[in-house]
Amino acid sequence: MPGPRILRPGLAALLCMMLALSVGGEICQDAVCSYRFVVRRARTMTHTRTLPNGWKQNNQVSITHDGHLELFTTLTLDRNRDVNGTRVSSDDVITADGVQRNVILVNGQFPGPAIEVMEGAQIAVTVVNQLMMDAITIHWHGLHMRNTPWMDGVPSVTQCPIMPHESFTYRFAAFPAGTFYYHSHMSSQMADGLFGALIIHSSNPPIPSVPLLFNDWYHEEAETMDIASKHNIYHVGAGQFELAEPSRGYSVDGVEITGRKFVSALINGRGRYKSNKAPLAKFTAEGGHKIRMRLIHAGGDHVFKVSIDQHALRVVASDGHDINPLAVDAIIVSPGERFDFEIDAGASPDSYWIRAETLREGSCVTCTWDSITVTPDDIVEETRAVLVYQNSSSDQDPTSEPRNCTPENPCIFLNCPFGGYPEDRQIVCISIANTSSPTSSKDDAVEGGGVVEYFLNLGFRVGSNINGHRYLPSTAPLYQSPSTNMITPCPTDCQGCKCTHILNLPFNKTIQLVLAGYITTSTGFPAHHNVHIHGYTFDVVASGYPSFNRTTGIFTHSNPDVVCSNELCTTVKWRQGSPPIKVKNAPRKDTVILPARGYTVVRFRSDNPGFWFLHCHQSMHLAEGMAMVLNVAGDRHPAPPSGFPKCGNFSWSEEDYEAAMSGDWQANKKYWDQLLEALLLRQD
Ligand SMILES: *[C@@H]1O[C@H](CO)[C@@H](O)[C@H](O)[C@H]1NC(C)=O
Ligand SMILES: *[C@@H]1O[C@H](CO)[C@@H](O)[C@H](O)[C@H]1NC(C)=O
Ligand SMILES: *[C@@H]1O[C@H](CO)[C@@H](O)[C@H](O)[C@H]1NC(C)=O
Ligand SMILES: *[C@@H]1O[C@H](CO)[C@@H](O)[C@H](O)[C@H]1NC(C)=O
Ligand SMILES: *[C@@H]1O[C@H](CO)[C@@H](O)[C@H](O)[C@H]1NC(C)=O
Ligand SMILES: *[C@@H]1O[C@H](CO)[C@@H](O)[C@H](O)[C@H]1NC(C)=O
Ligand SMILES: [Cu+2]
């Protein structure tokens, strides 16, 4: 039951403008915050009107040359017409990027409604699946789910998928505080729109804050893309990429940005395909005041660089956890990551572009292992939103430009997946490992139990894998039964096997994961990954990038701290012991970029028993099997609530069939009596 919204005098108008985007929520101040999510599929660029007889009718909408929405008629096709069609408000249409396709909505909204609660509240969300043909689960990305690990929303790990017409009530603690989001965890389904902001406040916010969710967006549904791609990722697996395909983009270091070809992208559900005039998200600022923006990458595959023309971004938190403030020009955000930043609306009253661009620099047409040249092209992969100052005339598109980066005043980018840009670009990269948290976490107390170290190498040996294992989901949730035959056990020597990869972790130890992205010439190509852990926040205690040519930016040598332990590089190890680990005031995150041919070291205290998924958050990599389960303290898992749904394979025997065919209706009389009574169908 959402409580009253907190408004401070003078900010009301500002908040109202933002709420018009329908991504900001009301802050629930109650101990139990309950929501009902009705999940449906709908069509973008469609207007629904109620006819006089009460029936509803959907009509296609088109965009006029001057950016208005009109009901589509044959008129629309006539560019020289002198009559205008029926206008509809952009508030009544899910426009996305102005192109028609299917989209998944929660309560009719895209992105789904924001949940905003106070820390420690109990969140209860009843999810009603009205998708008719697809099962769903919802994952509460970044929350710890302590004592309720089976509420984590991962199909086949924590629960049976919610089937069409079914409902499922998630109930869990709002912890920790910060910027989070929810999203479908069924394969690539979240790419079709099933996501929304989840904000947990530790105290009432002193300045207005607004979620800025962005995502890469395609014109086909995720499953269609996944099976239609050359490598049919579910059944054939990757490794079949054609490196020379010119449409694929490369970042400045000579790494392919993702196997998913860019189509478009959205900010708070809006964008423009190519140069159409679809409406964009608008953020209104009151001149001279601060706003906190909560950047959430809710997309599937592309990494974005986010900036606001002529405004410094004062970064104050990542993945919900405070960092010592840092003024930057742009933040690089991979799928699943969040960054909170403040802006001072101190520029001249005007409107400014908010930009989210992929890291594409060009194509790599003649690349071989030893010779990489990224050829710049004019393909622009970006989306935009608008920051409008209150008193500026706001109907026109902004004409603003980003500031120039100069030797005297270089630009600062946070979270580059590579060591740096070419020198002449005047861009300084700050890595996450070089940010700091204002406080030390309890994980810093490593002396107590010692550190237990694991190496996880993410690569492509017959499809995306971790340590050579492609994750094969179990046929029922792992909490369902102690039976082992619902999983496919992993062989001891796995060099590209498909199995239910589970790593057992001891209780209450400092776990150190060395996340590595190493490859050899025989095991495919480099890629940046971004690793997300469920059930925990980790400390980012070290990272290592490959070296690169300072003139071109191109990769030259893998980071030497880590080496492959075998020819296929399915496992890795330190070359000469670990590099310096920065434990004190380490930044805390739950999703972290893993540089290609480099590593990121994270630590956490294994004090939250459960089966916790750990995976690359790029949807193609995840769907192919770049995932595993951490079984933390296997003897201490809390039991699921009674009546927790079960699922799995079913088969029956010939004997049972014969028995059924004998027609002995009395054998189960008691069962039927009870059932018919429950259905109110008893005949006597
Ligand atoms: C159609 O709309 C345009 C743009 O708003 C306007 O300039 C024009 O006068 C309209 N034409 C008619 C016939 O209403
Ligand atoms: C905006 O305009 C209103 C009315 O003209 C004025 O009272 C207010 O001070 C202006 N605000 C800013 C930030 O300029
Ligand atoms: C962090 O900063 C130090 C110096 O301030 C630098 O030597 C080091 O390379 C940086 N590390 C990373 C991972 O950026
Ligand atoms: C976990 O280990 C720490 C340090 O050894 C200890 O202080 C704490 O009591 C342990 N917690 C539990 C629940 O055993
Ligand atoms: C369920 O069926 C799949 C496909 O036939 C099979 O691989 C798996 O072993 C079965 N699992 C159980 C628990 O019977
Ligand atoms: C970097 O690349 C430039 C241009 O290809 C080349 O001339 C130069 O020798 C390279 N530098 C190093 C250190 O390899
Ligand atoms: Cu990946």
Side-chain angles (χ1 to χ4, degrees), residues 664-676 682 684:
D664 180 5
W665 63 273
Q666 285 185 324
N668 249 337
K669 182 152 179 18
K670 199 169 154 211
Y671 169 79
W672 285 113
D673 281 349
Q674 284 169 358
L675 179 70
L676 295 180
R682 223 163 71 172
D684 56 27

Side-chain angles (χ1 to χ4, degrees), residues 28-292:
C28 166
Q29 302 279 343
D30 305 330
V32 182
C33 297
S34 303
Y35 305 86
R36 185 180 157 87
F37 277 12
V38 178
V39 179
R40 279 188 192 163
R41 203 175 246 111
R43 201 133 174 90
T44 61
M45 294 300 288
T46 297
H47 178 265
T48 304
R49 76 183 167 119
T50 307
L51 302 177
N53 65 3
W55 292 12
K56 299 219 188 268
Q57 187 183 63
N58 286 336
N59 291 295
Q60 191 180 331
V61 162
S62 59
I63 307 168
T64 65
H65 302 298
D66 52 356
H68 293 284
L69 300 182
E70 275 183 3
L71 293 185
F72 184 92
T73 62
T74 46
L75 260 181
T76 309
L77 299 172
D78 177 8
R79 288 174 177 263
N80 299 316
R81 67 201 156 117
D82 50 13
V83 190
N84 289 333
T86 310
R87 275 196 193 171
V88 294
S89 160
S90 62
D91 293 340
D92 297 336
V93 178
I94 305 287
T95 52
D97 64 353
V99 174
Q100 250 197 356
R101 59 154 285 179
N102 292 350
V103 56
I104 298 178
L105 308 181
V106 178
N107 300 347
Q109 296 178 36
F110 171 54
I115 291 182
E116 285 206 44
V117 303
M118 301 306 288
E119 186 176 8
Q122 180 190 129
I123 300 177
V125 184
T126 297
V127 176
V128 182
N129 182 359
Q130 294 192 353
L131 288 184
M132 310 329 240
M133 291 190 208
D134 297 278
I136 53 183
T137 65
I138 293 189
H139 169 57
W140 314 91
H141 184 109
L143 269 58
H144 290 186
M145 297 287 151
R146 188 180 287 274
N147 299 320
T148 59
W150 10 263
M151 290 283 111
D152 194 41
V154 185
S156 95
V157 177
T158 69
Q159 70 171 103
C160 303
I162 309 164
M163 300 302 282
H165 307 292
E166 281 181 2
S167 76
F168 182 97
T169 299
Y170 290 95
R171 198 180 282 284
F172 51 89
F175 185 85
T179 300
F180 302 92
Y181 73 117
Y182 59 84
H183 64 79
S184 166
H185 219 300
M186 289 293 288
S187 195
S188 311
Q189 193 179 52
M190 72 170 169
D192 292 332
L194 184 36
F195 57 78
L198 170 50
I199 314 295
I200 300 177
H201 298 273
S202 54
S203 56
N204 284 320
I207 59 170
S209 81
V210 59
L212 192 160
L213 290 97
F214 62 97
N215 62 304
D216 32 336
W217 186 244
Y218 305 89
H219 292 158
E220 282 179 306
E221 287 182 271
E223 182 163 17
T224 307
M225 287 194 296
D226 286 348
I227 59 174
S229 68
K230 279 200 188 86
H231 26 90
N232 183 350
I233 63 178
Y234 297 115
H235 305 296
V236 181
Q240 331 293 329
F241 293 96
E242 287 185 15
L243 287 173
E245 197 180 307
S247 59
R248 295 189 186 284
Y250 283 73
S251 48
V252 73
D253 54 343
V255 170
E256 189 189 73
I257 52 178
T258 150
R260 189 92 87 194
K261 190 180 163 189
F262 182 88
V263 175
S264 67
L266 310 175
I267 294 177
N268 287 352
R270 291 178 165 184
R272 288 179 182 166
Y273 181 58
K274 303 214 161 144
S275 49
N276 73 18
K277 287 280 187 357
L280 296 175
K282 275 193 178 136
F283 298 82
T284 306
E286 199 179 359
H289 285 70
K290 277 193 176 137
I291 310 179
R292 182 179 181 125

Side-chain angles (χ1 to χ4, degrees), residues 472 474-476 483-488 648-651:
L472 198 61
S474 59
T475 52
S483 137
T484 51
N485 66 357
M486 64 191 189
I487 65 161
T488 306
N649 292 351
F650 171 74
S651 171

Side-chain angles (χ1 to χ4, degrees), residues 7-19 284 286 390:
L7 289 182
R8 293 197 313 141
L11 295 178
L14 173 59
L15 282 173
C16 287
M17 289 295 288
M18 288 172 171
L19 289 167
T284 306
E286 199 179 359
Q390 226 173 30

